[in-house]
Amino acid sequence: MHKSISEIFQLQKIHSLNLRTTDAAVRKDKLRKLKSIIQSNENLIFEALQKDLRKSEFEAALAEVYFIYAQIDFTISNLSSWMKPRRARATFSSILSRNRIYYEPKGVALVMAPWNYPVQLILSPLVSAIAAGNCVMLKPSEVSASSSALITKIINDHFDEKEVACFEGDVTVSEELLELPFDHIFFTGSTEVGRIVMKAAARHLSTVTLELGGKSPVILAGDADLTKAAEKIAWGKFMNAGQTCIAPDYILVKAEQEEAFVSLICKQIDKLYQSGTRIDKNSYGKIINPRHYQRLTALRDQAISEGAILAKGGEDDEQDLTIAPSVLKGVPKTASIMEKEIFGPLLPVISYTSLDEAINFINQKPKPLALYVFSRSDSTVQEIIKRTSAGGTCINDVVLHISNPHLPFGGVGSSGIGSSHGIFGFKAFSHERGVMFQSGLDFTKLAYPPYGAKGRLLKWLKKII
């Protein structure tokens, strides 16, 4: 690719007018092509993810590659239906008209992806953007260097730059892209950078989808099955070494059950991630880089200095950026570790005495991307749902809600704007255009001036409206 970013943007701006008229068959062919390209490069993708994050092939397949296959297949199966104009009801003022909602592509979209799931989180919005008929410019994270280089090569080798183009580079490339008047920006990353993206989008009135993060809590109600909860949380929290935006960030457990739960989750960590007395590095990932390694170990050490007790962890290896799964109990609610999203394998456990106390604690913090509840009581679950707000919620499990394309995935407040996956991703990259077809026989003229003789009509309208 020898053209500048702005030159390619202008090419896409022109070509986007042609894409507006493409039908479902054309878009499905592009999605099949994307799937074929990924399939041809599977082994290279697994190698890149191993280099960047030490992801096992199984985890990489499940959480990154096969996730995209499933999304592509689901989109192909439903795209014709999604693209059909939707009926809308007429009102009294347009009683004889036909009303429809058309889904038209927004135009040229920018997708900016993070490093923690560097394949899934750049290709997933690409699938939705293609399905909606857009041109797309992609910016993978330079932090996951191997995956970024591979995705850039795969995309640029197989797609025409006037339709899909991928750009490697550091923050200067991101800044150059954000100077352009995109029709839509899809950003996944931290809340802090999300604010920067939204500010840049505001200059051009670009619409945005922001998938951010936050401190996703787990409430263990007094009637929860602690054994099952410990197993599920140990998996969801420590997969990808805790570097997952919807990973459980902290646990709220009844004071009298804290010791029992801590004991159970420590046993599950041993079962899932240890081989003998050592971390099984074939099943457990590494921290992305030294800066994040030092941030996380410092955060854990500070929590301990503030009164938390390290119930599990401490067997770290700075040379290969491994932080053992760490469980902190007795964590003060005011501890520094409770201020921002942890984004690593540190799990604070906080006790509460009443459900009101747990709910109030959550509501005092910014709205999270995910909320997890373990309880056998439907009334308890419903009370928590009604009294809290979160991007998404999973009951008696963690993380899995992201896998259902029938559910919207996205944040609320500081955890994000808009949603994706399935039809929700299609809509994110589409403009819903209202269209009214007026019939030959209409009553519009009744509203035209002169108004002097229409007093009775006004009185009649007031009665029926």
Side-chain angles (χ1 to χ4, degrees):
M1 188 184 296
H2 302 294
K3 297 184 181 70
S4 69
I5 287 175
S6 59
E7 286 174 331
I8 292 173
F9 176 80
Q10 290 303 324
L11 286 175
Q12 292 203 355
K13 202 71 178 169
I14 295 167
H15 187 59
S16 67
L17 300 177
N18 297 325
L19 289 189
R20 298 181 67 84
T21 61
T22 55
D23 60 16
V26 170
R27 299 179 192 181
K28 288 178 186 180
D29 283 342
K30 292 175 186 176
L31 292 174
R32 292 187 186 98
K33 173 184 173 181
L34 178 60
K35 183 177 180 179
S36 176
I37 293 165
I38 301 168
Q39 288 172 327
S40 300
N41 289 275
E42 254 191 25
N43 290 333
L44 292 175
I45 290 172
F46 293 149
E47 288 173 13
L49 291 169
Q50 173 69 209
K51 289 177 183 176
D52 287 331
L53 291 150
R54 204 172 64 215
K55 288 193 183 187
S56 69
E57 183 175 319
F58 184 86
E59 185 177 319
L62 209 61
E64 302 252 20
V65 177
Y66 293 2
F67 185 98
I68 297 300
Y69 292 161
Q71 183 179 355
I72 290 173
D73 292 344
F74 184 82
T75 301
I76 289 172
S77 296
N78 292 278
L79 184 56
S80 297
S81 172
W82 296 345
M83 288 179 65
K84 287 180 180 177
R86 296 279 190 272
R87 283 177 174 270
R89 294 178 64 179
T91 61
F92 177 78
S93 62
S94 55
I95 194 167
L96 298 178
S97 66
R98 288 184 298 115
N99 297 270
R100 300 291 185 269
I101 299 169
Y102 283 72
Y103 292 95
E104 61 182 35
K106 288 188 174 178
V108 182
L110 171 63
V111 174
M112 304 180 76
W115 51 261
N116 59 323
Y117 288 84
V119 175
Q120 181 211 128
L121 293 177
I122 197 161
L123 295 183
S124 177
L126 176 60
V127 171
S128 297
I130 290 173
N134 295 274
C135 292
V136 193
M137 296 175 76
L138 304 169
K139 172 57 177 71
S141 172
E142 71 278 8
V143 177
S144 48
S146 297
S147 300
S148 176
L150 179 61
I151 290 295
T152 302
K153 178 174 172 48
I154 289 172
I155 293 297
N156 292 342
D157 282 355
H158 293 90
F159 283 91
D160 192 320
E161 61 189 15
K162 69 182 179 184
E163 194 158 317
V164 182
C166 194
F167 302 88
E168 274 193 284
D170 58 14
V171 66
T172 59
V173 174
S174 299
E175 289 171 347
E176 186 177 352
L177 286 163
L178 288 172
E179 287 295 320
L180 297 169
F182 286 97
D183 297 294
H184 188 75
I185 300 174
F186 192 109
F187 170 79
T188 306
S190 70
T191 302
E192 290 75 17
V193 180
R195 291 190 177 98
I196 296 171
V197 171
M198 193 169 183
K199 186 176 180 180
R203 290 198 298 269
H204 304 292
L205 298 180
S206 306
T207 57
V208 297
T209 302
L210 303 179
E211 291 192 352
L212 308 177
K215 299 187 73 63
S216 297
V218 179
I219 297 180
L220 299 178
D223 64 344
D225 185 327
L226 295 185
T227 301
K228 286 184 179 179
E231 181 179 32
K232 292 175 182 295
I233 294 167
W235 168 70
K237 171 63 180 180
F238 298 111
M239 66 184 296
N240 200 31
Q243 299 164 122
T244 303
C245 60
I246 53 171
D249 191 272
Y250 63 96
I251 310 295
L252 290 165
V253 60
K254 292 277 284 185
E256 61 269 26
Q257 296 177 325
E258 181 178 6
E259 288 297 330
F261 173 74
V262 169
S263 175
L264 286 167
I265 198 165
C266 288
K267 289 177 182 175
Q268 287 297 332
I269 289 169
D270 289 344
K271 179 180 176 182
L272 297 179
Y273 301 109
Q274 287 197 191
S275 178
T277 59
R278 302 178 67 83
I279 292 292
D280 180 4
K281 293 179 183 178
N282 292 317
S283 298
Y284 184 70
K286 71 180 182 73
I287 305 304
I288 186 68
N289 60 26
R291 181 173 67 86
H292 281 278
Y293 178 94
Q294 290 155 11
R295 175 185 67 84
L296 288 162
T297 52
L299 193 61
R300 185 180 60 193
D301 292 345
Q302 186 172 1
I304 294 169
S305 72
E306 292 170 340
I309 299 168
L310 185 64
K312 184 74 175 173
E315 309 86 15
D316 307 328
D317 188 337
E318 187 169 6
Q319 188 173 353
D320 69 356
L321 301 176
T322 301
I323 296 177
S326 302
V327 178
L328 295 154
K329 66 178 182 178
V331 178
K333 292 177 181 176
T334 56
S336 302
I337 199 170
M338 296 307 298
E339 291 177 2
K340 293 183 178 180
E341 182 180 8
I342 295 168
F343 218 69
L346 315 179
L347 182 63
V349 179
I350 297 175
S351 64
Y352 69 89
T353 55
S354 69
L355 190 59
D356 281 345
E357 181 187 346
I359 291 172
N360 290 338
F361 183 75
I362 291 170
N363 286 339
Q364 288 167 7
K365 297 187 175 298
K367 295 174 182 179
L369 184 56
L371 169 66
Y372 303 112
V373 180
F374 286 84
S375 175
R376 304 180 210 204
S377 166
D378 185 62
S379 61
T380 298
V381 169
Q382 292 302 324
E383 181 180 1
I384 293 170
I385 291 173
K386 287 177 183 177
R387 294 178 60 191
T388 58
S389 179
T393 295
C394 202
I395 309 301
N396 293 320
D397 216 322
V398 297
V399 176
L400 281 184
H401 62 293
I402 195 176
S403 67
N404 185 351
H406 296 284
L407 291 175
F409 178 76
V412 58
S414 62
S415 62
I417 295 173
S419 54
S420 61
H421 297 174
I423 192 171
F424 308 99
F426 171 79
K427 286 185 176 183
F429 288 94
S430 301
H431 167 61
E432 292 181 289
R433 181 177 185 175
V435 179
M436 178 186 288
F437 297 87
Q438 188 60 279
S439 68
L441 180 65
D442 68 79
F443 302 101
T444 309
K445 290 183 179 180
L446 292 175
Y448 296 172
Y451 302 124
K454 295 186 177 179
R456 289 184 181 179
L457 175 62
L458 202 60
K459 290 179 181 179
W460 178 70
L461 286 173
K462 190 174 182 181
K463 290 179 181 179
I464 65 171
I465 290 177

